[in-house]
Amino acid sequence: MAARVLRAHGAARAGGLLRQAAPSTLPPGLRSLTSSNSRPREDSWLKSLFVRKVDPRKDAHSNLLAKKETSSLYKLQFHNVKPECLEAYNKICQEVLPKIHEDKHYPCTLVGTWNTWYGEQDQAVHLWRYEGGYPALTEVMNKLKGNQEFVEFRKARSNMLLSRKNQLLLEFSFWNEPVPRSGPNIYELRSYQLRPGTMIEWGNYWARAIRFRQDGNEAVGGFFSQIGQLYMVHHLWAYKDLQTREDIRNAAWHKHGWEELVYYTVPLIQEMESRIMIPLKTSPLQ
């Protein structure tokens, strides 16, 4: 009996010491954050690092976060091109892809097509919209099998590629609808790999955060993955040039509330990547 009491007393004392010592054992960067005068922010930060709790949901996050007034599905394609073939690749894409985009028999729209400027090199990025969701995607795929020009295009393209991947996406309800725009612009595709179970949190925070990034009409579209690499979020932005991008991003930090939203969304991210992209001449997003 006495031994159990001593063990319990020792465990309680150790727990108290652990709670007192925890901030000082963190790395300097995190220690400065946990020393904030705001106790709720400290607790939220520590919980997000060590005690991840996923609230039970009664509906899929796709139903909670996606636009209800549309049933569009998006496909994002990444093609890594052989360096010596990039010019020829761009040429055949600009000849064939607009024809599919303009043909009313195909329920799809080419939203944008780019080459990566900064980020992964010799890469092409294509974004398609399928009006009508998965049935529209299936219809387009079946029709393209009988399109001899597209079949020849795919054969020629395959000889130019090192690798390719795609994702099927839905758009966040609170983001702008991506519509054609005049240029010249550069585009930034910011891609976030979220921790599983955090998509609802991300959506809740960004539903408020997006209002801080609308002044310069730079917000083009926001999407989250359904098939392919999961728990992926993509934000697409347009800027006049790299300096304008820097100025707009810095200005956001002077708006009250932006820093708090960044503070709470950072712990949700596992990895992130930024691509600066240049649109091809036939891209609807210029």
Side-chain angles (χ1 to χ4, degrees):
M1 179 69 176
R4 285 199 298 271
V5 170
L6 287 173
R7 284 197 298 270
H9 177 72
R13 185 171 181 271
L17 290 173
L18 179 60
R19 286 191 294 273
Q20 294 172 13
S24 64
T25 61
L26 293 171
L30 295 185
R31 190 156 63 242
S32 64
L33 286 171
T34 59
S35 64
S36 168
N37 292 330
S38 173
R39 186 67 186 179
R41 288 180 62 162
E42 175 185 339
D43 292 344
S44 177
W45 177 261
L46 290 172
K47 286 179 181 178
S48 68
L49 289 175
F50 305 115
V51 196
R52 184 88 231 140
K53 293 183 70 176
V54 179
D55 295 333
R57 303 291 175 190
K58 297 186 181 300
D59 204 352
H61 66 243
S62 58
N63 293 332
L64 297 171
L65 295 173
K67 280 186 168 68
K68 296 295 190 298
E69 66 273 16
T70 65
S71 55
S72 293
L73 180 72
Y74 290 80
K75 180 169 69 175
L76 185 61
Q77 299 174 299
F78 299 99
H79 291 172
N80 291 316
V81 185
K82 296 176 183 177
E84 66 274 15
C85 295
L86 186 59
E87 185 176 350
Y89 172 92
N90 287 340
K91 185 176 185 294
I92 63 171
C93 284
Q94 292 182 113
E95 290 173 354
V96 176
L97 299 187
K99 294 179 182 179
I100 301 169
H101 166 77
E102 295 164 1
D103 192 331
K104 295 181 180 179
H105 292 92
Y106 292 94
C108 64
T109 302
L110 181 62
V111 177
T113 178
W114 304 267
N115 285 156
T116 299
W117 184 23
Y118 288 102
E120 196 160 353
Q121 296 294 281
D122 304 308
Q123 185 179 71
V125 180
H126 309 290
L127 180 63
W128 291 87
R129 180 194 296 117
Y130 296 88
E131 295 86 0
Y134 292 107
L137 173 68
T138 302
E139 180 182 347
V140 171
M141 294 299 101
N142 288 336
K143 286 182 175 179
L144 287 177
K145 291 177 183 177
N147 183 327
Q148 191 58 38
E149 183 180 19
F150 185 78
V151 171
E152 294 300 322
F153 161 75
R154 282 179 59 94
K155 287 180 181 178
R157 187 186 67 182
S158 66
N159 295 324
M160 302 178 184
L161 299 182
L162 293 170
S163 65
R164 60 194 180 102
K165 69 174 182 178
N166 59 27
Q167 295 174 353
L168 294 181
L169 315 169
L170 297 177
E171 57 184 330
F172 284 109
S173 60
F174 47 85
W175 268 79
N176 300 348
E177 182 82 14
V179 295
R181 65 171 67 195
S182 58
N185 294 293
I186 62 170
Y187 288 81
E188 182 176 18
L189 182 66
R190 296 180 68 87
S191 301
Y192 303 88
Q193 176 69 63
L194 301 187
R195 298 170 63 181
T198 62
M199 186 66 73
I200 297 294
E201 286 182 80
W202 179 272
N204 287 340
Y205 285 125
W206 264 95
R208 288 179 284 159
I210 191 63
R211 72 178 187 269
F212 294 102
R213 298 296 309 276
Q214 299 281 22
D215 293 348
N217 194 32
E218 71 269 20
V220 178
F223 314 91
F224 59 98
S225 62
Q226 289 292 283
I227 295 177
Q229 191 171 355
L230 299 179
Y231 283 96
M232 284 293 299
V233 168
H234 300 282
H235 292 174
L236 184 61
W237 308 90
Y239 303 101
K240 180 181 177 182
D241 51 39
L242 287 173
Q243 186 59 54
T244 302
R245 169 189 177 272
E246 181 74 3
D247 294 342
I248 289 175
R249 288 177 56 81
N250 286 339
W253 290 96
H254 297 287
K255 298 177 181 179
H256 178 69
W258 172 256
E259 76 287 348
E260 182 178 2
L261 291 166
V262 173
Y263 181 92
Y264 285 121
T265 52
V266 166
L268 309 181
I269 302 170
Q270 285 187 330
E271 295 180 11
M272 59 188 297
E273 182 177 5
S274 170
R275 292 175 175 86
I276 301 297
M277 308 184 302
I278 304 297
L280 299 187
K281 293 179 181 179
T282 53
S283 175
L285 286 170
Q286 283 296 309

